Amino acid sequence: MLPIPPLEVQCEIVQILDDFTEATENLKKELEVEMVELKHRSVAIREAFNQINRYQRCIDME
């Protein structure tokens, strides 16, 4: 049987776990925002490359 730590220690453990959970949730939110931004950037880059390719084809036809 495991010994139960004193209430004060239990409260410290709970606080540490609460802080860790909050930090984890904040990181998740930040990563979600960053993923959306990266997706928008990748779409913009893809569109730019497509424009370059279309332009290059027009030049090649001349």
Side-chain angles (χ1 to χ4, degrees), residues 6-60:
L7 185 58
E8 182 179 308
V9 174
Q10 291 179 39
C11 289
E12 288 177 28
I13 293 169
V14 168
Q15 186 60 51
I16 290 168
L17 293 174
D18 284 347
D19 291 346
F20 181 78
T21 300
E22 182 180 350
T24 302
E25 290 301 316
N26 288 338
L27 284 173
K28 283 182 186 178
K29 289 176 187 174
E30 289 174 21
L31 287 172
E32 287 173 6
V33 168
E34 191 170 335
M35 289 295 292
V36 169
E37 290 173 358
L38 287 171
K39 184 176 181 180
H40 289 316
R41 279 190 226 148
S42 68
V43 168
I45 290 169
R46 187 177 314 118
E47 288 174 0
F49 278 124
N50 286 338
Q51 282 183 326
I52 291 169
N53 285 336
R54 284 192 296 271
Y55 179 73
Q56 186 64 42
R57 278 187 242 131
C58 288
I59 292 174
D60 291 343

